[in-house]
Amino acid sequence: MSTVTAVPPPEATSPPSPARPPERSRLLVRDVLRLGTSGLRSRPTRAVLSALGIAIGIAAMIAVVGISSSSQARLNAQLEQLGTNLLTVQAGESLMGQEPELPPDALGKVRRVEGIATATSTATLQESVYRSSLSDPDATGGITTLVADQNLLGVVSGQVGSGVWLNSATETFPAVVLGSVAAERLGVVAPGTQIWLGGTGFTVVGILDPVPLAPELDAAALIGTEIAIDLFDFTGSPTTIYERSADEAVETVRDLLPPTIAPEAPHEVTVSRPSDALAARTAANDAFTGLLLGLGSIALLVGGIGVANTMIISVLERRREIGLRRSLGATRRHILVQFLTEALLLSALGGVFGSALGTAATGIMAGINGWPFALPPVAVVVAVTATLLIGAIAGLYPAVRAARTPPTAALSS
């Protein structure tokens, strides 16, 4: 009788678990910064010199923008103070090429134009001005003799630097007020000095500050109407008329003045707006600013090339370090991040230093010229961003080259 041995049922086995993928290595931010600064800390002189190239370019660009903005702010403040509603009327040129004169009643006609608040005039006399009667007759110094109304300074926003302006008492006597340039050319530093005008001794009673809206007054000797009639047979015909009107009426008044003064020949009357000349000068400065910005961009590009050169040399010098790190488990991405971070830090160093240098230069120039400090904050932000972008572009190729270096080739170099 055979014996049957019971076989136990097979044990239930669970299906094998899938293999877990290897965890991807990561670099912490502090590790990235530590690795990125290691090359800079080991070669500080090279890092400073490389950052200096970018700093010079950024400083030039920020200084140009800051100085231009400060100058523009000064002009805006000046125009706000002086006003943009001043118009200047002068005789133009006739169809026959002759130089006509404004009629004696031109000032009265101008004052009757609707919208004009105030008006004044000056008239040119063909009388030379000298320091004394012993001066060389040919050494006139380019000084013009003008007959001025008493309300001239109020209309053109002029200021007396020293002394007094012409008044009802002084305009009947041989008294003269000198523009700032005229006083400098004659060597007159204070009122009370005698000068020689039209063969007569005149006493300087005042010296003007520069007049931005009427620069022709700076090189002029101004006398009163009564003394001009008595000594020089002045006929009363004005050479230049200055008028102010409401801001909204400037263009309308500008169109009305020529036909009002000379109805038969309005084309012989020229009307100009002195504030436009100041604005045109600013436009010319803006064009020059664009040129300087271009030069600053070139300097910034040269600085970026310097960063790229520095990083390539750094990769060549640190091949063994790259091979050792790769053999210890660093991936290509780790090497790429390390050298790209180093390039960004190098550029950021130059950007921050250049921004500080450009801001300081703007402040110094604004202080020297008496301008308000007006550096747009966006200019600094754009400048630093530009340095980081240049640093990323300049460091990309060296970083990729370092990442692609085989560990064995790096260790055997």
Side-chain angles (χ1 to χ4, degrees), residues 178-183 208-212 214-220:
L178 298 177
S180 58
V181 176
L208 299 180
D209 287 333
V211 186
E216 63 274 8
L217 301 181
D218 295 340

Side-chain angles (χ1 to χ4, degrees), residues 120-141:
T120 187
S121 66
T122 60
T124 303
L125 296 179
Q126 303 302 320
E127 305 293 339
S128 300
V129 183
Y130 304 98
R131 182 63 179 85
S132 71
S133 58
L134 302 178
S135 300
D136 182 0
D138 296 329
T140 60

